[in-house]
Every structure is written in C-alpha cells, then in structure tokens.
Amino acid sequence: MAQLSLSSCGEDDLKKAATLSRKISLDTTRTTGVEIIYSDSAKVKAKGFAPVLDKITPSSGAILQEMPKGVKIEFLNDSLKVKGSITSDYAIIKDTEKLTIFKRNVIVVNENLTFNTEELIWDQNKQMFFSPKGVVTQPDGSFANAENFSAPQDFSYYKTGSGYGETYVKENFGE
C-alpha cells in the first residue's frame, strides 16, 4: 500500500521564500603569473608564486584571494636563500580572517621535515600552521601519521594530538 501526500503554498509563503533566495553579487579580477612577497619588519620572509590569482569581492562580505591552479611558497632566510617551501594544488586567502587555506596535495618541505596533507591552514594572527591530519617524514626516513598537526610558521617544531608511525633509534654500544 502506498501513501501519497500533497501540499501547497499560499501566496504569502511564496513571498517569504523569495526573500530567502537573495542574489549575491561578486566582482572577480583575474591575474596570471603572480608573485607574492611576504615581509615582516621590512625583511622579506617568503615569496609565493601562483599561475592564477582570482581576487573575489562580494557585494557584502570579506575579500577572498583564490589560487585555483595552485601555489608555491618559498620561505627565505636572512640571506634570502630558500630554507623551505609549501606547495598545493589550490589555495585561498581570507583577508578579513587573516587565514590562508592550502588544499589538495599539500607538501611542506624544510631541513627538519616533510609534511604531506590534503589541508593546511596558516593563521596569520597566531603565526601558526594547522592541519587535521597528515604524514610527517623526518630526514632519517622515520615517519608519523599525525592528527591535529600544528607548527609555528617557521616549522621549527611541530605538535600532534595523536598519531602513529615508525622511528629509528641509534644503538650506542659501549659509548
């Protein structure tokens, strides 16, 4: 036995529904072959490269900068030599919140670690990186599957909430 239920909207209901579906107006500006410089206290700290940068300005709300074809950021030391990098297939900068979100095939490389994840968030206010999960590989080949990853913006150390992995321990016989 099947049951059929029918309902209808009155004219007042349609007016209410129309106000719920507001149109959002966006202004988009596309730039190709972009180089972004990040400096702190008049010192260049990083350079970013994106094949495409879309600046999205909603009629109401915060400005977004989207890199739909990916981004590569190189971290520089005081001598302006590359000391690490982040690459991803997609990134978005939320100017108002001061957040940069890297997504898809995110790879962080420096002399202390390689970190692979699908999402990495840089919080400019806290000067910290956060990721829900990823794999940390050390130069000696040891690795950890990390959850709730966090690191300062120079990746000098990292913390995880939980994880598992493989590490190598040197044996000191007679030393």
Side-chain angles (χ1 to χ4, degrees):
M1 175 174 199
Q3 184 176 7
L4 178 64
S5 175
L6 300 172
S7 66
S8 67
C9 293
E11 212 172 292
D12 288 338
D13 292 335
L14 289 175
K15 289 177 185 174
K16 289 178 188 175
T19 60
L20 293 176
S21 61
R22 295 183 195 158
K23 290 185 178 180
I24 298 172
S25 170
L26 300 175
D27 178 26
T28 304
T29 306
R30 176 164 278 191
T31 307
T32 57
V34 176
E35 182 175 310
I36 303 164
I37 306 292
Y38 174 74
S39 62
D40 185 16
S41 303
K43 289 186 179 180
V44 176
K45 299 288 186 178
K47 286 185 180 182
F49 308 93
V52 174
L53 175 69
D54 291 332
K55 184 176 180 182
I56 303 165
T57 309
S59 58
S60 63
I63 296 172
L64 304 171
Q65 296 181 64
E66 184 178 42
M67 291 153 271
K69 301 219 181 248
V71 65
K72 179 175 185 172
I73 296 176
E74 296 177 335
F75 298 104
L76 307 172
N77 63 18
D78 291 337
S79 306
L80 300 180
K81 299 231 186 258
V82 176
K83 65 178 187 178
S85 66
I86 296 176
T87 57
S88 70
D89 290 346
Y90 172 87
I92 189 164
I93 300 170
K94 296 182 176 185
D95 289 336
T96 305
E97 293 130 334
K98 296 194 174 194
L99 295 176
T100 302
I101 303 167
F102 303 91
K103 290 190 174 206
R104 297 190 308 266
N105 299 315
V106 183
I107 303 170
V108 177
V109 178
N110 71 14
E111 61 188 25
N112 301 320
L113 63 83
T114 299
F115 181 62
N116 295 282
T117 185
E118 287 300 307
E119 180 178 74
L120 182 68
I121 299 168
W122 178 50
D123 185 324
Q124 188 176 350
N125 290 325
K126 294 179 182 176
Q127 297 187 345
M128 295 283 293
F129 283 96
F130 300 95
S131 179
K133 64 181 177 179
V135 178
V136 178
T137 306
Q138 302 292 330
D140 67 0
S142 61
F143 67 91
N145 289 297
E147 293 186 11
N148 300 318
F149 175 93
S150 65
Q153 68 184 14
D154 65 357
F155 284 94
S156 55
Y157 67 90
Y158 66 91
K159 293 181 183 179
T160 63
S162 63
Y164 62 92
E166 182 177 304
T167 188
Y168 302 101
V169 179
K170 279 187 176 181
E171 293 184 31
N172 294 329
F173 294 109
E175 293 181 323

